[in-house]
Amino acid sequence: MSVQERKQRERAERERLIVATARELAEQQGWDAVTTRRLAERIEYSQPVLYSHFRGKREIIGAVALEGAAEMATAVRAAASGADGPRERVAALARAYLDFAERNPAVYDAMFQLDGGLAFAQEDTPEPLKDAFAALLETLGEVAGDGVHPGLFTEVFWASLHGLATLTRAGRQPREDTDRRTELLVDRLAVL
């Protein structure tokens, strides 16, 4: 291995450590607790080292969001592929999405609530975000209904899931009714 390859590998490892540490700190104490000073202390590197990887907290949030999008895409694909029939696939996708949001609140916030400097639904949208949407579209497109654009239907269904996730987490909806809400969404919105 050349010196250049070793340096690139070490740089990538440091970057993964920064992102993992930011994510861990955010999940434990919230995003307000994530500062470059705290991150530098936790990973035992100087703040200038952090700034050599990320220009600031916004880019770190973006990196966590991209990692989360990849994980969410994997989760919803796995759930949908393990179900038989369109209704079961849509229900499995919805449960997987809501479970991901509940298990990873700081990551979910990085993806959809905080400014990570990422473009959504544009030409320059990063690939992990495009793939997360594609993971939803793969299942939801088949139940959009005649004359309904599959992408538009996916956006509306996704918005509904996002609303359920955020309202439940904020205590605006009782958590114990999540399954009933999910079933209602699947039965009334999807053309099965």
Side-chain angles (χ1 to χ4, degrees), residues 3-192:
V3 171
Q4 181 66 18
E5 290 172 329
R6 182 182 52 78
K7 285 183 178 186
Q8 287 175 341
R9 189 186 75 232
E10 289 171 354
R11 180 172 177 74
E13 287 172 8
R14 271 193 314 273
E15 194 165 297
R16 279 191 296 276
L17 178 62
I18 293 166
V19 171
T21 303
R23 182 175 174 164
E24 179 184 321
L25 187 58
E27 292 291 1
Q28 291 170 353
Q29 300 177 30
W31 279 104
D32 287 342
V34 179
T35 64
T36 54
R37 171 173 276 150
R38 275 199 174 145
L39 287 174
E41 288 171 2
R42 284 208 176 192
I43 66 172
E44 299 178 345
Y45 283 103
S46 67
Q47 283 181 292
V49 169
L50 269 96
Y51 285 117
S52 73
H53 291 273
F54 299 99
R55 285 182 283 185
K57 183 175 175 178
R58 180 178 186 221
E59 284 189 4
I60 295 169
I61 290 169
V64 170
L66 293 176
E67 190 174 270
E71 291 171 10
M72 188 182 77
T74 298
V76 298
R77 279 189 177 112
S81 71
D84 292 326
R87 187 203 184 288
E88 291 76 17
R89 281 191 292 279
V90 173
L93 174 145
R95 283 190 299 274
Y97 182 98
L98 294 171
D99 288 347
F100 178 86
E102 185 176 348
R103 282 191 327 273
N104 304 284
V107 173
Y108 193 81
D109 284 349
M111 293 167 65
F112 301 120
Q113 305 287 86
L114 302 174
D115 179 9
L118 303 173
F120 281 79
Q122 297 176 17
E123 264 317 295
D124 60 341
T125 298
E127 198 54 44
L129 298 179
K130 289 179 182 178
D131 189 53
F133 185 78
L136 298 173
L137 181 63
E138 289 161 10
T139 296
L140 295 171
E142 71 179 289
V143 297
D146 292 337
V148 177
H149 187 277
L152 185 61
F153 177 78
T154 300
E155 290 172 350
V156 170
F157 200 93
W158 170 30
S160 299
L161 289 173
H162 177 70
L164 290 173
T166 56
L167 290 170
T168 301
R169 185 166 136 208
R172 304 295 196 270
Q173 296 177 339
R175 194 171 299 281
E176 61 270 12
D177 291 332
T178 298
D179 289 341
R180 289 179 40 213
R181 281 187 209 93
T182 304
E183 294 300 316
L184 183 61
L185 175 64
V186 170
D187 289 339
R188 300 295 180 176
L189 199 54
V191 176
L192 303 167

